[in-house]
Amino acid sequence: MSRVGDTLFFENPVWVSTWAAAVGTKEGQGPLGAYFDYVTRDNRFGKKTWEQAESRMVELACEAALAKVGLELSQIDCALGGDLLNQCISTGFAARGLGLPYFGLYGACSTMAESLILGTVLVSGGFAGRTLCLASSHFCSAERQYRYPLEYGGQRPPTAQWTATACGAAVLQQEPTAVRVTAATPGRVYDPGITDANNMGAAMAQSAYETLRTFFRDSGTGPEDYDLMVTGDLASVGHGVVQELFRRDGVVLGDRYQDCGMMLFDQSQDVHAGASGCGCSAAVLCGRILPDLASGKLKKVLFCGTGAMMSPTSANQGESIPGICHLVCLEGGL
Amino acid sequence: MMYVKAFLVGGVICALSQVLIDRTRLTPARILSAYVVLGVILSGVGIWGPVVKFAGAGATVPLLGFGHTMAEGVKTAVQEQGFLGAFTGGLTASAGGIAAAVGFSLLAAFLFQPGDRS
């Protein structure tokens, strides 16, 4: 393991042995529906509250990931996860059932990438043989958290994003498999001064640009070296801002640069500006990207989780929205 | 005929609030509060009374009507109680509406669970 600039390089790679995504009904009806391991028929997941439903969804994602390769929880050394709720209760309460040493994380919608980076560091440093990395979000619990409870019946503006009901879980290990983590760039927090919570994509775009730029500089590579570079949930506005920022540097990202928030739902699903939430990038990664790396359809991918580090309190106090972007470099094929 | 007038006037008021949702950053809560305040103002300057006569429920049901009710209540209370009426009038006049809102909401909460938005 070595470090150049902000980027960590894992010369002895850490391997991704299994993954799974559990999602809600709307996500199951979207363009990636067939790729998810568990699509619920009931967004309550059989529970009384939305928060309990999200915890249940986390359990289902973990169970599915472990079952795929016949792993028991006792074979995992620690878990790292986070979500959007106050005090991260949905993943925290799900961790009760895991019974593993547990790190609760908060990176807003970048939590999956953050979890993967820290999980990789633990395995690479020999502190864990296997880590379970996860992140989740649920539309209904997020509405209560950030806006109003559903009972309030408020109308969503056209620029609103739809918090994905989804959880992605992946296991990292020391033994070789089809997919590996070869590098990671922990992000720094950037604040372009945007105060509009309906324009979070633009608020996070700067951090995505900075982290990608830092990685390209530290690794001596460019966009042309990767089959896919994907941000978490910048949506169309933020996606365009990132492309424009690179264009000013004379760098063209091209079609290989996509955004999970734009991939999860179809325009016909009336989600306004696209998907957001920790579960968005986690589910797209575990449902689509990791399998494509394992099958060889993709060879080198940059998974860039993006998060808006704001709270309802900061928004009410008129604060701007800082953003962060964590980058994980994943490679497929042996 | 009254139904048509009520529908049109009420509809225009609601359409205006939809424009505010679509074109401004005002939250639903701010729009609702603004409507109450606007209703008080329009009532005070004598505009809303005639609109109520014209459109009936179309003017009283939207929150502009609620502001109007409060304003009328304050006028009556000030005539009866003097300065104290400025404090008692608004809530006294709207007490029925507020109690109904609280009561029916409670009933709904007992009987129903919020649906999932998807």
Side-chain angles (χ1 to χ4, degrees):
Chain A
M1 180 152 80
S2 64
R3 182 199 176 100
V4 176
D6 287 351
T7 304
L8 311 175
F9 290 95
F10 305 99
E11 284 88 7
N12 289 325
V14 170
W15 305 85
V16 191
S17 66
T18 182
W19 46 80
V23 304
T25 54
K26 203 180 186 76
E27 291 73 16
Q29 290 158 2
L32 299 178
Y35 296 97
F36 299 124
D37 298 89
Y38 184 95
V39 177
T40 189
R41 260 188 269 233
D42 157 38
N43 285 334
R44 286 189 183 277
F45 289 85
K47 297 292 181 178
K48 274 212 197 113
T49 71
W50 300 119
E51 289 72 14
Q52 287 169 344
E54 191 179 340
S55 292
R56 179 69 194 130
M57 182 176 62
V58 170
E59 286 170 11
L60 288 165
C62 294
E63 282 166 23
L66 294 173
K68 257 189 209 173
V69 290
L71 272 174
E72 298 289 335
L73 276 169
S74 53
Q75 295 170 281
I76 310 283
D77 296 307
C78 81
L80 304 93
D83 59 77
L84 293 178
L85 306 183
N86 271 344
Q87 290 77 57
C88 293
I89 50 167
S90 45
T91 44
F93 277 38
R96 281 184 304 196
L98 294 178
L100 297 171
Y102 178 72
F103 291 102
L105 306 172
Y106 187 76
C109 308
S110 70
T111 303
M112 188 64 192
E114 180 185 358
S115 177
L116 286 171
I117 295 178
L118 292 169
T120 300
V121 167
L122 283 171
V123 173
S124 179
F127 296 104
R130 287 193 188 86
T131 57
L132 172 63
C133 303
L134 57 101
S136 87
S137 57
H138 192 300
F139 176 79
C140 304
S141 59
E143 282 298 295
R144 194 203 315 277
Q145 171 64 60
Y146 284 102
R147 287 160 285 278
Y148 301 103
L150 292 187
E151 291 88 327
Y152 181 74
Q155 292 298 312
R156 300 171 63 242
T159 48
Q161 285 182 284
W162 187 281
T163 307
T165 300
C167 175
V171 174
L172 302 171
Q173 67 179 31
Q174 292 166 343
E175 289 79 33
T177 62
V179 184
R180 57 196 185 276
V181 179
T182 52
T185 309
R188 297 177 186 230
V189 176
Y190 290 93
D191 189 344
I194 289 173
T195 53
D196 182 7
N198 289 319
N199 201 8
M200 282 197 297
M204 296 183 285
Q206 195 196 347
S207 2
Y209 162 71
E210 295 288 350
T211 299
L212 275 163
R213 200 162 68 116
T214 299
F215 174 76
F216 290 143
R217 178 200 71 203
D218 296 341
S219 62
T221 60
E224 63 282 356
D225 296 308
Y226 302 93
D227 301 312
L228 177 68
M229 297 162 287
V230 67
T231 44
D233 55 357
L234 296 188
S236 48
V237 171
H239 179 264
V241 172
V242 174
Q243 286 180 315
E244 176 57 31
L245 288 169
F246 272 104
R247 205 172 295 135
R248 289 190 204 166
D249 287 349
V251 174
V252 175
L253 290 177
D255 290 332
R256 295 183 188 186
Y257 167 49
Q258 292 175 34
D259 179 75
C260 298
M262 293 164 71
M263 292 162 70
L264 192 62
F265 296 124
D266 206 84
Q267 273 301 93
S268 68
Q269 292 180 282
D270 191 29
V271 289
H272 298 176
S276 71
C278 309
C280 174
S281 60
V284 173
L285 175 76
C286 296
R288 189 76 213 260
I289 298 176
L290 288 172
D292 279 354
L293 280 163
S295 69
K297 259 177 96 177
L298 294 169
K299 307 244 178 354
K300 280 179 111 173
V301 172
L302 296 181
F303 175 67
C304 313
T306 45
M309 306 301 282
M310 53 169 267
S311 80
T313 304
S314 72
N316 284 334
Q317 292 174 339
E319 297 268 16
S320 54
I321 301 171
I324 194 168
C325 174
H326 295 298
L327 181 153
V328 181
C329 179
L330 295 152
E331 296 186 29
L334 286 156
Chain B
M1 192 53 204
M2 191 46 137
Y3 286 113
V4 175
K5 290 191 280 181
F7 179 78
L8 287 174
V9 171
V12 164
I13 294 170
C14 294
L16 174 65
S17 59
Q18 185 64 48
V19 169
L20 291 175
I21 295 237
D22 285 349
R23 297 288 167 92
T24 71
R25 284 157 47 178
L26 290 171
T27 60
R30 291 199 194 107
I31 295 172
L32 295 176
S33 314
Y35 268 23
V36 175
V37 171
L38 192 59
V40 173
I41 294 171
L42 290 175
S43 176
V45 299
I47 294 177
W48 210 247
V51 176
V52 171
K53 281 211 191 70
F54 174 75
T60 58
V61 169
L63 280 184
L64 292 162
F66 188 82
H68 172 68
T69 304
M70 293 181 81
E72 293 281 285
V74 169
K75 263 197 243 167
T76 312
V78 166
Q79 280 164 2
E80 290 170 4
Q81 301 169 23
F83 185 64
L84 191 62
F87 293 90
T88 62
L91 285 177
T92 309
S94 50
I98 294 172
V102 172
F104 287 123
S105 308
L106 190 62
L107 187 63
F110 278 133
L111 295 176
F112 305 107
Q113 254 192 333
D116 149 39
R117 219 126 186 223
S118 330

